[in-house]
Amino acid sequence: MKSHKENKGERSRNLTITAMLLILLVMPAIYFLGCHAADSPRSSSREQNPAVDTALDTSYSLRAREYSISPHPALFQGQLERPHNTETYDRIDENKFHSALKDPLSTFSIDVDTASYSNVRRFLEGGQLPPKGAVRVEELINYFTYNYSQPEAGKPFSVTTEVAGCPWDPKHQLVHIGIQGRKISNENVPSRNLVFLLDVSGSMQSAQKLPLLKSAISLLVENLREEDNVAIVVYAGASGLVLPSTSGAQREQIHSAIDRLSAGGSTNGCAGSQLAYQVAQENFIKDGINRVILATDGDFNVGTTSQSELTRLIEKKRESGVFLTVLGFGMGNYKDSTMEKLADKGNGNYAYIDSLREAQKVLVKEAGATLVTIAKDVKIQVEFNPTQVQAYRLVGYENRMLQAQDFNDDKKDAGEIGAGHSVTAIYEIIPPGVEWDQPGIDELKYQKSPKANPETPGDELLTLKLRYKQPDGDKSSKLVFPVKKSNAFFSDASENFRFSAAVAAFGMMLRDSSHGGTLTLEGVQEIAQTSCGEDTEEYRKEFLRLVQVARKLKGARKQ
């Protein structure tokens, strides 16, 4: 028979086991209810808005407010942990060569985004080669300014063309197309109505996200004028207005609102976007600059989260005359593919901020190009002369390609040019008589195969056409430029031509392009060194350093 002491100990053990089982059963239910409450809609007022409460750094956190009790991490480990790296990039299928006889028209939208270059820099400086999808060659090229001539009076931009040899395939040639947007002095910049749409969700906590974001937008605030207005909308699980539209003269008030921002909670970018556009429309400045500046890592995880729904929302909002700038921050969960599409559909531009120096470049030194649109829906169409060009391919711009008929369709959206922006495009062409490894097709049965026009001017290589609209216009204007053939050697080409070709080759090598030819990274470095030209900000010098880093990383990968 058990003693009284033994019975007492057994009852105690049974009670302990029962209590532990109850905890294991009840805690998941509590956690589920807390999560369900976090996803429920909330009022936009500060008293009931966790996004505003968190952003303004109140005494309790968003997560504490959303959950009445927090389960011990060990109970749900594996359910809550994210993969270490969930960055997403769209696949890029590199442009191929097309027959100038059978497919003479090449049509695309211009692209002034620069995010890919600074993101590639982030990877290289972190000791790794970038994913192929992160390398958009046109954005690497357009990260740099080029010494193009300013446009004539009354024109929004100038056009420069040049033809010379190809450094990665001596039998081919390159056609360099440069567009230079009209520069506007600071005193002539129209009044600005800016709405910062800031992601303050939990994913923005790291030093390279919200802290860098706050420092970045503070740089822009220092350059605001009395006639400029700025508002701040934040979003996490819900959205809220942290700062109503305020004159740029009230810098202390604006900086105070920025300083109090802190991160926490989930990410409902859709709700934030709707509120930001509403604020922009309520404070719309006729003949001024009306723009939403979205700063985020792109990791939208509650509310409307699909790319298609988000882009449809932005497409609808752009009809109001409010343009969009997208600033990307951070790493690990960075959603490049989403942010590029939002900028594209929002009549905007897209930059990646990896340092305060990059913020200074985008938001201060190039503020005109970033914020002041001088022409929208800019399209390029090139018609190649098949008597002078056997085949051609556009270097980069894969996700900007248009159908031939889109060129004359004013309803078709295209890219924008900002004040002072330069846009560069490069075609690689194969002259007649040069071997081209391209399978042929059978003779057509129901129509004649195309033939070159014998009356084509013999010295014309191609005809370049551009269409653009005024920032507030609906009808496009067209410009036409014939481009003559040239036998110039690559070494005799301009610095603009040679440096842009070096950057293009660098991008192709990072992507392991099948069109890379015989040029090496060492060759890229030699070309860039001899074509840096005037480099007051030392961006081209930095490019040389990145080429060296890539050489070491590619060399290490082969070992």
Side-chain angles (χ1 to χ4, degrees), residues 42 46-67 262-264:
R42 295 177 181 259
R46 180 176 172 183
E47 286 76 11
Q48 296 181 346
N49 192 333
V52 179
D53 286 337
T54 304
L56 295 180
D57 199 15
T58 54
S59 59
Y60 47 91
S61 70
L62 174 66
R63 188 163 298 280
R65 183 172 183 136
E66 288 182 334
Y67 306 120
S262 65

Side-chain angles (χ1 to χ4, degrees), residues 358-527:
E358 184 65 15
Q360 180 83 11
K361 176 181 185 289
V362 173
L363 296 175
V364 179
K365 289 187 173 68
E366 298 177 2
T370 303
L371 303 177
V372 185
T373 300
I374 59 172
K376 69 177 183 180
D377 293 339
V378 184
K379 309 169 192 172
I380 293 178
Q381 186 169 81
V382 177
E383 180 183 355
F384 290 92
N385 179 358
T387 66
Q388 301 299 325
V389 178
Q390 181 183 186
Y392 66 88
R393 77 176 191 95
L394 179 60
V395 180
Y397 292 92
E398 283 85 1
N399 57 4
R400 301 286 178 164
M401 301 306 296
L402 300 173
Q403 298 295 318
Q405 60 269 25
D406 292 338
F407 182 74
N408 292 324
D409 183 358
D410 280 350
K411 295 180 181 179
K412 188 68 177 180
D413 182 54
E416 284 66 47
I417 291 183
H421 253 147
S422 61
V423 181
T424 301
I426 297 173
Y427 279 96
E428 180 179 358
I429 62 174
I430 303 177
V434 175
E435 184 178 351
W436 175 33
D437 185 18
Q438 173 72 5
I441 61 173
D442 296 338
E443 286 291 323
L444 298 178
K445 182 178 180 181
Y446 302 106
Q447 63 188 53
K448 293 182 179 180
S449 297
K451 294 183 179 179
N453 181 1
E455 298 180 3
T456 298
D459 61 345
E460 284 189 12
L461 191 70
L462 57 89
T463 296
L464 169 66
K465 296 180 287 184
L466 291 97
R467 277 198 180 275
Y468 68 95
K469 298 174 188 170
Q470 296 296 331
D472 57 352
D474 295 320
K475 188 174 181 179
S476 66
S477 300
K478 184 172 76 169
L479 302 174
V480 181
F481 305 89
V483 178
K484 297 184 181 296
K485 65 181 182 180
S486 169
N487 294 319
F489 293 107
F490 179 77
S491 57
D492 295 330
S494 67
E495 287 180 343
N496 288 336
F497 188 105
R498 287 181 287 123
F499 187 82
S500 63
V503 178
F506 179 63
M508 289 192 292
M509 291 178 195
L510 290 178
R511 291 186 47 77
D512 296 326
S513 168
S514 60
H515 300 291
T518 58
L519 192 63
T520 63
L521 283 172
E522 184 178 6
V524 167
Q525 194 165 357
E526 290 176 0
I527 293 170

Side-chain angles (χ1 to χ4, degrees), residues 280-302:
Q281 289 165 346
E282 290 173 352
N283 297 279
F284 193 88
I285 299 176
K286 187 178 179 181
D287 299 324
I289 299 166
N290 298 278
R291 187 173 291 268
V292 170
I293 301 174
L294 169 62
T296 178
D297 57 15
D299 191 9
F300 307 124
N301 52 37
V302 298

